[in-house]
Amino acid sequence: MLRLGSILLWMAAAIILCQARPNVKLNSQSSSGLRSDCAANVMRLSLDKALAVGNQLEVEAINGTKHILLTPSMAAQCGYSMESDPWGNTRIYTSLMGCFVDNKDDATFNVGLRLQMYGENPSDVVSHDVSQTCSYTRWASREILCDRNYMEVSHHMANRDAKGQTRDGKDEKLNANLEASGASQGIWKMTFYTPEPVAMVLQEAEQAGYAAKTTSSRLVMRSPYNTAETYSEDVAGVPMEVFRVSAYYMAPQGLNVVNLAAACPKGGVLFTEDMISWHVPRHVTPLLDGRITVSEMHMGINGQRLDRSQMAARGYTLSTTDFHIVVEIPVGSPDGYYKSHAPDYQYHITYFVEPMLEDDTVPETRVFSVLLGTFLHDVELRNITFSTGVLTVEESNAKGFTVQEHSLANGSKSFSLQVPFDADVVLKHNPERLVTSYFLPLIFGLIVLPEETPFALPVDLQASLQDVVLPIIAGTCDQNQFYISVKFGSHGSNFKAIVGPRELTAEMAEDYNFYENGTHLSLILPYTAKDAVFRATECHPNGTMTAVAVKVESTRNLKPSQLTLKDQSCTPQFSDDRVAYFSFSVDTCGTTRTFFDNYMMYENEIRLSYNNAKGAANTSPVDPDYRQTISCFYVVNETQTVAFSAKPRTYEPAAEIATGQLMVQMRLSQDPSYELFYQAEDYPVVKYLQQPLYFEVELMHSTDPHLELIAENCWATLYEDRTSLPSWDIIVDSCENRNDSYATIFHPVASDSRVLVPSHIKRFSVKMFTFTKDDQVLKDQIYIHCDAVICDTSSQADGSCRGQCVHPPGQSYSRPAVVKKERRSTDSTRQRQISSGAIILSNL
């Protein structure tokens, strides 16, 4: 059994599985010679040779009143395995997460099996019904079972309710899609990696021999060995069968996805005449990265863990190398057995043993932990040599390191040492930008008493963590200069500051008003500074790039209107004496495309054109005087959230009474308090299905109490164009859409320190939704649009100016989701049109 942090990996040996026979005749009798017990996450049934020898065995799983014959393929798919020893004794193993196990809240498991033995006469059938209740609550966050004929991985699902069901409401449409795909367990689809991705819905995966289900708190996936979607990988010289899959399932907050992987060794056994060695990779790379430390390991035999005294009595050893965890078992140990063989008429003897390995690790503890031993009672630890010098045991503990001696029951002893990663004796370097590798070279100085014979044991420990916190750069600007602030990261001020093309020097620091206080540094750069480079590039999801080139001091003779892209026919859409603005599609203007692992990069250049007015090319230098590279990166085969900022439309209408400049804005509040609103840098705004959206429509810059703002009509569209289809009414003729099962809610507005005239503000909320067609989600975003009317409350009110939702009830205001009707005309001097940006539906 191999335990890796929150991952528990069980490993078992080879498989012998029976063939099935039809037409079973039931003949139950006493189950003498049968023994069942629970071994961690499996139930084990032992069948004595007296019952099995001379008979053909069939096994059925008992599922309530049903009996399911376990053929070899069914057994591998559903979590059952069988083995026999040379004397005819048989053991049957059942995973507690198996298909037909009665699971009570992932804590109590009732397993039922029927064994049927056929004699030489097909009518002679002896049946035995066996039931066993197992309790198992020490589930790891992720648990992997490598059995004789299958690999199983289960994952804890956070925030799963007691029955593993999803929410009601608009999730019903997605649930209908799940049921249509065969997802009876709430699992929509799976993507297998071979390592190339292969997508299947649940029904297709089950037909291919895989099993998937959800329990009250876990997601379970199972695969037989050597399927089309598993593959072999060499890990530290050990061949392993790898099973990797992404499963999409319904969680309370919506559709969720979890990545699962199982890797089971198919080799790694070495032997001599005296010793069997089993090598397991220390870092199972298909399951884990290098960010782990080994805190303790255990091994066992036949599903039972052995303590150190039991291992010592049997002559077993458990050790580690740089790449492997090694179990060594002497040939002839009492837990194995010999078997005679006679290949090619020559006599041979083979020794069989089934070990188990448990490796407990704590990822990202940021503490080196090493266990040294075991030693006899006459050995003492005197000192430890670190990279900074030699320390006694007492000095090591005083420095904050934990050095302990552990006495074992058999009289032997061991020593342990714990050193934090941030200790001065730990060496560090950064092999990658965000990764720190920690090294702890040690030499343990020990002596043998009473002779005080010294000896040393060198140990080199290494761990890698993605723990680098980069400096955070922030800045603002005014009409003349940049104001730059840098917050230090995990390395403090130990970094290079590059201003423009140059590294920051003391002379530049003085010119740029450099200031540092131990946690931050700041700079002030004029726009005309030699090191100022203006690079404003935006990458849009529709494949459009926009970029701005600015004339700075280093290019004082530049005329922005003369700049072009690589294709000199692509000129600025706008330019003046300081800036040039470009907007173009990524498949035009000489834009190049480069593919990386999961990204593709589009790149172009803003440069000077050397053509004269007549189109004749002039001689130009090899490198132009001005060149600005602009790039956009797009993720390949992945849905990306589109950047979005609110775009309130400003107008300058004149009120019917008096004069002045009026503007209306619509904002999205973060909660029902309407105190905090999403700003431009907060977008795109991501919301869950049916999560309330709190909108506020406000008449700006007016204190006239005789004016009232009315939200006349509001609707949602799939696209930014307010006239696009499909659309759905939210407010119709100043009232909620009565045909909407999730009606709009108007919220009262009271006067406070911010709201001076409550009649200038209208607040309402709707629940997040998406547009569907034929039960399919068309797009995971919506736009909200409103027509607002500014009314003079001192004049005779008509139409919408009678007040918010002040007209006879009982009218139907909804429009079909795919048919747009004409909106009634409103006096343009009073009506204002406002829209929100995209609101994204979260898939998690």
Side-chain angles (χ1 to χ4, degrees), residues 716-792:
T717 64
L718 194 62
Y719 305 101
E720 189 173 9
D721 183 359
R722 65 192 342 255
T723 64
S724 64
L725 297 176
S727 65
W728 183 257
D729 281 326
I730 296 173
I731 297 175
V732 180
D733 293 338
S734 79
C735 289
E736 69 276 6
N737 179 2
R738 291 181 174 85
N739 282 357
D740 194 338
S741 58
Y742 297 95
T744 303
I745 299 175
F746 290 99
H747 299 280
V749 182
S751 178
D752 57 27
S753 59
R754 183 175 72 86
V755 180
L756 300 179
V757 185
S759 64
H760 290 184
I761 293 176
K762 290 296 182 289
R763 293 170 177 168
F764 63 91
S765 63
V766 296
K767 291 186 177 181
M768 181 62 185
F769 68 97
T770 59
F771 287 93
T772 62
K773 184 176 181 180
D774 297 330
D775 291 334
Q776 297 295 320
V777 175
L778 297 179
K779 202 172 183 181
D780 58 355
Q781 70 180 27
I782 59 173
Y783 293 82
I784 304 298
H785 314 275
C786 283
D787 291 339
V789 178
I790 303 171
C791 300
D792 180 7

Side-chain angles (χ1 to χ4, degrees), residues 660-671:
Q661 304 298 319
L662 298 180
M663 181 177 71
V664 175
Q665 73 169 3
M666 180 166 64
R667 295 188 295 175
L668 179 59
S669 175
Q670 297 185 18
D671 54 46

